Amino acid sequence: MPYPFKLPELGYPYEALEPHIDAKTMEIHHQKHHGAYVNNLNAALEKYPYLHGAEVEVLLRHLAALPADIQTAVRNNGGGHLNHSLFWELLTPGGAKEPVGELKKAIDEQLGGFAALKEKLTQAAMARFGSGWAWLVKDPFGKLHVISTPNQDNPVMEGFTPIVGIDVWEHAYYLKYQNRRADYLQAIWNVLNWDKAEAFFRKG
Ligand SMILES: [Fe+2]
């Protein structure tokens, strides 16, 4: 949905991911952090009605075409909005706990299986200095890649389709895990919904 962008409902209670991700972290992350990205994105776009019909993915794919004074705001806040919207969906309780269907086949064939993927994604997430994301993405030719992006950059900015995204900003884990990003990254596998990832894979 284009402008005015809205904070999406989580679709599940904040405590649904306990004990792996605590309720307070989820509440602040969703309402305050994601909420701020949405508000700031709308504020940046307000004075440019000709952009109001564009989906956030389109804005992010074409940042260089946007008015210079809002490129940074759209990059940071549009990216923040898109990244978190994907993340909440990927964390929806239930669903498969490991890759399924066409996505499983692609992971097995291209990346050497789920265990190898976990290792690659964890490495990408640990190696991201400061704030950012680790991703499983698909390129336009059907090939999977594990990448990481800084800040709130989204893989669509580089022509990839995001399949799985892991938020490694401290706001995603600090209340429960403090500085222990590695512990958060170990816990995240318990709450990723691979049916959703498979849906993103098929759609992209
Ligand atoms: Fe976040």
Side-chain angles (χ1 to χ4, degrees):
M1 296 295 286
Y3 180 95
F5 294 98
K6 291 188 179 62
L7 182 64
E9 295 287 331
L10 265 196
Y12 47 91
Y14 289 123
E15 66 270 21
L17 307 174
E18 294 266 11
H20 308 293
I21 303 180
D22 62 287
K24 196 72 190 162
T25 295
M26 286 299 291
E27 183 184 340
I28 295 171
H29 201 173
H30 178 246
Q31 285 184 20
K32 305 295 184 190
H33 291 279
H34 191 172
Y37 297 129
V38 170
N39 293 340
N40 293 338
L41 177 61
N42 286 332
L45 293 168
E46 191 179 359
K47 63 178 172 175
Y48 294 108
Y50 82 98
L51 297 171
H52 290 181
E55 299 290 345
V56 68
E57 289 92 339
V58 175
L59 295 170
L60 290 170
R61 280 195 197 107
H62 302 287
L63 279 175
L66 301 182
D69 65 317
I70 62 167
Q71 286 180 12
T72 302
V74 171
R75 180 178 190 164
N76 291 339
N77 297 290
H81 175 43
L82 179 58
N83 290 348
H84 289 86
S85 300
L86 293 167
F87 194 50
W88 309 138
E89 272 207 71
L90 283 163
L91 297 179
T92 304
K97 289 294 154 220
E98 46 188 79
V100 292
E102 289 299 307
L103 177 58
K104 175 185 161 40
K105 203 167 152 235
I107 289 169
D108 287 348
E109 285 173 5
Q110 298 181 30
L111 299 176
F114 185 38
L117 167 65
K118 272 163 105 166
E119 204 178 304
K120 283 195 181 80
L121 259 173
T122 303
Q123 271 171 13
M126 286 302 291
R128 168 52 53 199
F129 182 76
S131 298
W133 291 72
W135 302 94
L136 173 66
V137 300
K138 184 170 78 168
D139 71 23
F141 315 102
K143 196 161 167 38
L144 294 173
H145 304 265
V146 172
I147 65 168
S148 119
T149 57
N151 305 311
Q152 293 296 356
D153 285 2
N154 185 282
V156 297
M157 291 163 56
E158 304 293 333
F160 295 114
T161 299
I163 310 294
V164 171
I166 301 175
D167 189 347
V168 292
W169 284 58
E170 280 189 344
H171 69 221
Y173 61 85
Y174 199 85
L175 289 182
K176 183 176 172 73
Y177 297 100
Q178 291 84 46
N179 60 313
R180 303 188 309 278
R181 186 186 284 188
D183 291 354
Y184 159 70
L185 290 172
Q186 228 171 17
I188 197 89
W189 303 107
N190 296 300
V191 287
L192 280 182
N193 183 330
W194 287 92
D195 286 322
K196 295 283 184 182
E198 157 85 348
F200 291 148
F201 178 74
R202 283 170 175 272
K203 197 175 70 177

